[in-house]
Amino acid sequence: MGSTTADFETRLFIDGKYVQGKGSPKVTCYNPTDGSVVSDNVHVASVQDVDDAVAAARAAFPGWASTAPLAKSKLLNKIADLIEEQAGLFARLESLCSGKPYKQTIVYEAPMAANIFRYYAGYTDKLEGESLPPDNGFLRIIQKVPIGVCAAINAFNGGIIMVSMKVAPALAAGNTIVIKGSEKSPLAVLAFGKLVEQAGFPPGTINLITGGPETGSLLASHMDIDKIAFTGSVGVGKKVAQAAAASNLKRVTLELGGKSPSIVFPDANLDVATQWCVQGIVGNSGQACIASSRVYVHRDIKEKFVDRMKQALDGTKGLMGKDVFAESTQLGPLVDRAHYERVSSFVESGKQEATIVTGGENPHGQGCWITPALFIDPKPDAKIYKEEIFGPVVVVSEFTDEAEVIKRANATEFGLSGAVFSQDINRAIRVAGQIHSGAVCINCCTMFDHNVAFGGMKQSGWGRELGKHGIMGYTEPKTLYVNMTY
Ligand code: NAD
């Protein structure tokens, strides 16, 4: 396989087999816990590789689209079983490449990925159309047909869940797919090819490639890709949409960034609010698009809440063991040196823009670790308050008035998620209804599940993934007119 460690796959998976990438130079992946090289030989998809992958997906499309629904379901269910069986492989590769605690993949990510496959396996025979009564002698039938060859570009943080979010609905709806993992965490994505082989998918239905921005833009501008599903930052999402429009107007869905607000009212259960707000910013070491990174707390309870947040965040330092494979390690480092430098610079500049209460240090003096940082009272235009940091940095502001806090919560380009903490359910529902985001959680935060729509308003995205809305994004309505008088 030509990697520094020979027991994982570093090649591309195209047309049902692993092949050498023709792109150069190869990608090097570093272990963010200590900076050691995991592999210096991750293959990069070149123009030719991308064309090969798209051609394979195109050739496979008619056969897959016309495969009986329940035969599709059987294969999708098989993949779900294999993900569960081989969760340890994915956990290991994610831990090596992105520093995710091993347990996180075993306990949460692999089961969630399997759920996504099972959910969409059940959808293959439920893509119902419509028919309208004959009118003027014509019967009209609207079918939900597959779009064709889809491509997906993934962010570094989603691992096997993000692969499932794209592959499962695309295939359940009858499409074929080329999927590019992030160059920062490519190994688990490439390992997925083994499962595709073992499950027995027809060659070309699922193709897995990797590479950086150049490979991504080859997909976005490709003339024979019919839809692109992108997950990543707002800036890159806009480039993908532009490239899609400038090439063949391929369909686009975008899952982009966030700066999600949580509003804590004075009648909230403080234990519940603290627990969720802490989990909402330390989960995946803050590298979550739905991270609860802006908290608004009512002035009457601010002091108490901030004390509790500090205590709870300080408590999480004990979960940041140096060994991400250890059972007790629940929080890992940031994904790589560049991201660590970026988050650290937000922490430094934040000290001039707000008051730091705790955190923002490297607990191990090596690698890309950073302790959860709590800032309070930011200036209104503070960078840490306005921009997505994508690390464990939470900013707490106080409020006094419901209408004012809703306005402040909505004063952002993002609209991915949000939360309201209150024991007055009428208030909670009223406020949730006024937060402009794809999801709002009540007395919880950062929720995300396989069977409900996920995605953003405003610049947090276009379209939705997961649930029924997710699979609809992989179909096109097609109308048949039948002349009943003939
Ligand atoms: P990123 O935008 O830097 O990269 C995402 C992907 O785009 C990578 O695979 C990268 O190789 C590719 N890419 C880079 N330049 C490209 C170009 N010009 N054309 C095509 N592809 C290109 O994001 P990241 O650092 O991997 O991930 C973090 C970002 O992703 C955050 O903003 C986060 O909020 C967002 N995210 C969103 C969701 C969601 O579902 N809404 C989920 C996870 C992450």
Side-chain angles (χ1 to χ4, degrees), residues 60-312:
F61 173 61
W64 179 252
S66 59
T67 296
L70 292 180
K72 291 191 186 92
S73 303
K74 210 169 164 182
L75 288 169
L76 294 168
N77 276 319
K78 181 77 185 148
I79 282 268
D81 294 345
L82 289 168
I83 290 173
E84 282 174 345
E85 276 167 31
Q86 297 182 36
L89 168 71
F90 293 114
R92 182 170 157 266
L93 296 176
E94 279 293 307
S95 296
L96 284 175
C97 245
S98 63
K100 256 181 209 172
Y102 185 83
K103 204 171 154 188
Q104 181 176 322
T105 306
I106 299 289
V107 171
Y108 172 64
E109 299 201 359
M112 172 67 130
N115 284 348
I116 294 171
F117 269 98
R118 292 204 177 100
Y119 175 79
Y120 285 118
Y123 237 110
T124 59
D125 60 350
K126 297 175 188 67
L127 289 163
E128 293 165 347
E130 300 156 42
S131 90
L132 277 70
D135 189 351
N136 210 16
F138 294 91
L139 176 68
R140 282 80 46 85
I141 300 170
I142 304 166
Q143 300 174 322
K144 299 266 170 47
V145 300
I147 300 175
V149 172
C150 299
I153 300 177
N154 279 353
F156 73 78
N157 65 324
I160 190 78
I161 292 183
M162 215 175 272
V163 173
S164 310
M165 285 168 75
K166 310 285 199 271
V167 173
L171 267 79
N175 305 278
T176 55
I177 194 163
V178 178
I179 180 156
K180 185 188 94 61
S182 165
E183 65 279 22
K184 295 186 181 206
S185 55
L187 298 182
V189 177
L190 294 177
F192 196 77
K194 298 263 185 223
L195 275 54
V196 175
E197 270 175 349
Q198 282 171 31
F201 277 89
T205 46
I206 303 172
N207 305 275
L208 308 157
I209 62 174
T210 194
E214 301 77 23
T215 308
S217 63
L218 288 172
L219 292 171
S221 59
H222 203 284
M223 292 302 288
D224 201 28
I225 289 174
D226 302 304
K227 164 174 174 146
I228 190 144
F230 173 80
T231 300
S233 56
V234 171
V236 176
K238 287 182 181 176
K239 287 186 192 170
V240 167
Q242 281 163 355
S247 51
N248 62 344
L249 272 180
K250 55 181 69 61
R251 283 31 179 165
V252 179
T253 50
L254 301 173
E255 291 286 357
L256 308 177
K259 188 82 178 175
S260 299
S262 293
I263 304 175
V264 185
F265 283 98
D267 64 348
N269 177 320
L270 268 198
D271 288 335
V272 169
T274 312
Q275 182 202 331
W276 280 97
C277 288
V278 167
Q279 182 53 35
I281 195 64
V282 303
N284 208 25
S285 303
Q287 300 167 117
C289 50
I290 47 178
S292 167
S293 50
R294 284 186 292 150
V295 177
Y296 298 91
V297 59
H298 193 275
R299 180 182 290 170
D300 293 351
I301 53 163
K302 179 186 164 201
E303 210 178 306
K304 240 195 248 175
F305 179 80
V306 169
D307 282 351
R308 287 189 193 208
M309 278 287 279
K310 176 181 172 348
Q311 226 178 343

Side-chain angles (χ1 to χ4, degrees), residues 349-374:
S349 64
K351 291 175 185 168
Q352 317 306 315
E353 308 173 308
T355 304
I356 185 158
V357 177
T358 191
E361 287 140 11
N362 187 328
H364 300 307
Q366 68 167 55
C368 301
W369 305 86
I370 190 156
T371 54
L374 169 60

